[in-house]
Amino acid sequence: METSRAWWRHAVVYQIYVRSFADGNGDGTGDIDGMRRRLPYLERLGIDAVWVNPWYRSPLLDGGYDVADYREINEQFGTTSEAEAFIAEAKAHGIRVLVDLVPNHSSWDHPWFRAALAAAPGSEERARYHFLEGRGDAGEVPPNDWQSVFGGPAWTRVPDGQWYLHTYDESQPDLNWDHPAVADEFDAVMRFWLDRGAAGFRIDVAHGLVKAPGYPDAGPVQELAGMPPGQHPFIDRDGIHPIVRRWRRLLDEYDDRMMVAEAWVDASRRPLYLRPDEYHQAFDFDLLTANWDAGEFASIIAESVSSAQAVGSDPTWVLSNHDVVRHATRYGLPNGIEPGLWLLDGDRSLLDEARGARRARAAALVTLALPGSAYVYQGDELGLPEAWDLPLDALQDPIWHDSGHTVKGRDGCRVPIPWEPTGESLGFGDGGAWLPQPRAYARLAAAVQENAPDSSLDIYRRALAIRRERLVDELGFELLDAGADVLAFRRGDRFVCMTNMGDLPVSLPAGEVFFASGPFDDGELPPDTTVWMA
Ligand code: GLC
């Protein structure tokens, strides 16, 4: 396919967290049948594709990012043939399906890891993971100082005394990408899903995979930001790129498939992942951590647009996903408060939910107007806030345990979707819901917003329709100077997007406002509002 016209370049991709999207069989957990039944809703929303979070067989100790079988669907979610049928049915609704591929680690329930545990130190079975002897007189000290991303040491000891590496939870042993069997297996897994009609992959932990030879200590600063580019012992290493090129060659054997990288790397290194023979897209995560600040937004946007364009790619916008506090809540907190930490024991009076809701809509109209592709996390279109008051005994995210109960984790953005204003699980399914839904979710249910003019759902639908009509061409992009509190940019001659991120109304320039994220008076743009102007 000619890259300049490729479908993903301007696509709006809807992220489905299977467990929490729609429950077809009433067991309290979302499933493929539930997803299938909601395809008409997704078609009406106007998206181009869905990205489905891992749906594979898994003990779900990290929500499915602990894969026990890359070719089987988790039995709570359905079957592999249902998955295949879902891909085909989605296509009939004009929706492509991206599958989540998790190559950095498997589950400890994967047959390979079980075989590794059963085999002796030094065996071929262990070589597919990272098994090392410990330090100290009796090998009782982990092989090095690496810390897991979720907290605690990145090594766990097995009964014969060796240690295995897990840069995430101990149930997620890291695969050894220096072992040829690992690369071969992932080629086969990719073909398996591409042959079943998948439009491509979201690649999990694309910044991981490769570990520094000799497993050197990371030192006192474990963070990526504390090290020179490419020098972190297990994040963003240059050896990743040959693997990516291999995947790209494989995808290129098929027609119009794509892959998007979850690469948490410094913005300056992101273009490396986007070279013409590597990923088609890499998420721009900088807005996930940005303050509600026009200058900050503008510089992130400018950097993302220019660095993507420099390598012939396009930016890929994200406001929320299954790993961060939902933006309707982030934007309801004062700048400077770290939302993930606030969740546990932050001052509740700091949260202004109405302001968060207004800003969430305003931000959506920004990302949907920018060049490139936009990812919408399930529930964003309903304006769902984080379920920030989940009781501690309901938490399932391994971060809660691994951090020694210092970080509440990500369950609050993974609460089942409210489809109806009433019922035990607000229409999620006929039974309960695997995580309790906040009471406020009832009034945000999809059915409530369905025919309500100016509901969040209505705004998303209309924005997507306008975007499809007016913004998919190569329109160019130019930031405008409209004052310190205003984010403004132009796309071509007949489209301007303006957001007031300050506290006071600002005057609007001459021109016709044809769409707005909230009410406004003639000639004035109120705070926390975006307008699209001709
Ligand atoms: C990615 C996923 C996250 C998961 C982690 C480990 O960051 O988005 O949910 O916990 O990888 O697989």
Side-chain angles (χ1 to χ4, degrees), residues 196-233:
R196 277 159 188 75
F201 303 99
R202 176 261 188 192
I203 305 285
D204 187 60
V205 190
H207 51 274
L209 308 176
V210 176
K211 278 74 190 173
Y215 306 90
D217 278 345
V221 188
Q222 294 266 330
E223 301 287 317
L224 180 65
M227 297 182 203
Q231 295 305 306
H232 192 284

Side-chain angles (χ1 to χ4, degrees), residues 30-46:
D31 47 40
I32 296 176
D33 185 44
M35 288 158 52
R36 195 182 59 76
R37 297 191 205 187
R38 296 294 175 183
L39 280 169
Y41 169 88
L42 294 174
E43 180 176 358
R44 202 160 157 229
L45 182 56

Side-chain angles (χ1 to χ4, degrees), residues 197-483:
F201 303 99
R202 176 261 188 192
I203 305 285
D204 187 60
V205 190
H207 51 274
L209 308 176
V210 176
K211 278 74 190 173
Y215 306 90
D217 278 345
V221 188
Q222 294 266 330
E223 301 287 317
L224 180 65
M227 297 182 203
Q231 295 305 306
H232 192 284
F234 60 87
I235 302 176
D236 189 26
R237 298 195 60 81
D238 292 334
I240 291 170
H241 298 286
I243 301 172
V244 181
R245 287 186 205 114
R246 173 181 175 135
W247 291 339
R248 178 62 184 256
R249 285 194 297 275
L250 189 154
L251 257 74
D252 283 348
E253 290 174 30
Y254 292 77
D255 186 26
D256 77 355
R257 314 296 172 101
M258 64 83 81
M259 53 180 182
V260 51
E262 185 215 21
W264 285 92
V265 300
D266 189 82
S268 66
R269 300 264 295 177
R270 198 184 304 125
L272 299 176
Y273 292 75
L274 290 171
R275 287 175 286 194
D277 55 350
E278 299 205 20
Y279 285 99
H280 303 81
Q281 295 181 335
F283 294 119
D284 285 284
F285 285 136
D286 297 327
L287 288 184
L288 292 180
T289 50
N291 284 308
W292 186 257
D293 178 274
E296 210 172 314
F297 265 58
S299 61
I300 288 171
I301 290 168
E303 154 111 34
S304 295
V305 171
S306 67
S307 68
Q309 282 171 356
V311 282
S313 179
D314 304 278
T316 302
W317 309 104
V318 189
L319 287 169
S320 279
N321 65 28
H322 65 294
D323 288 331
V324 298
V325 173
R326 282 186 177 274
H327 61 281
T329 298
R330 291 202 316 267
Y331 296 149
L333 289 168
N335 283 346
I337 296 284
E338 214 292 280
L341 298 178
W342 172 87
L343 282 183
L344 182 58
D345 50 13
D347 177 355
R348 301 311 187 211
S349 71
L350 293 175
L351 178 65
D352 181 339
E353 293 192 286
R355 177 155 66 191
R358 280 195 307 275
R359 290 178 172 178
R361 293 175 190 197
L365 291 203
V366 172
T367 53
L368 294 175
L370 286 168
S373 164
Y375 281 67
V376 174
Y377 178 43
Q378 66 180 37
D380 282 359
E381 78 281 19
L382 302 175
L384 289 191
E386 182 83 0
W388 51 266
D389 53 356
L390 282 178
L392 297 181
D393 60 8
L395 301 181
Q396 308 235 357
D397 186 349
I399 289 185
W400 173 237
H401 167 266
D402 294 355
S403 69
H405 298 175
T406 58
V407 183
K408 200 169 174 185
R410 302 161 295 178
D411 294 297
C413 63
R414 300 173 175 179
V415 168
I417 294 295
W419 293 97
E420 302 288 337
T422 55
E424 193 187 342
S425 61
L426 302 176
F428 170 61
D430 290 337
W434 70 278
L435 280 173
Q437 297 154 303
R439 222 176 305 152
Y441 274 23
R443 75 182 161 76
L444 295 171
V448 174
Q449 301 197 35
E450 177 67 39
N451 295 310
D454 296 327
S455 65
S456 177
L457 179 58
D458 179 54
I459 285 177
Y460 265 84
R461 280 185 185 148
R462 285 196 281 150
L464 289 182
I466 297 172
R467 173 188 165 95
R468 195 176 283 253
E469 215 175 273
R470 297 208 190 191
L471 288 174
V472 289
D473 292 334
E474 303 293 328
L475 281 177
F477 167 81
E478 187 196 345
L479 274 173
L480 303 174
D481 182 1

Side-chain angles (χ1 to χ4, degrees), residues 163-186:
W163 298 76
Y164 69 87
L165 175 67
H166 51 89
T167 54
Y168 289 83
D169 186 56
E170 65 171 332
S171 65
Q172 296 167 296
D174 280 52
L175 287 157
N176 178 8
W177 274 87
D178 286 334
H179 194 294
V182 172
D184 289 345
E185 170 66 1
F186 276 90

Side-chain angles (χ1 to χ4, degrees), residues 57-59 66-72 106-119 125-126 128-129 173 175 185:
R57 181 163 295 166
S58 161
D66 46 326
V67 181
D69 187 334
Y70 291 88
R71 295 174 181 81
E72 282 289 341
S106 74
S107 161
W108 60 13
D109 279 355
H110 192 285
W112 277 10
F113 193 70
R114 292 192 167 181
L117 288 183
E125 287 82 354
R126 289 211 173 171
R128 295 186 294 215
Y129 293 90
L175 287 157
E185 170 66 1

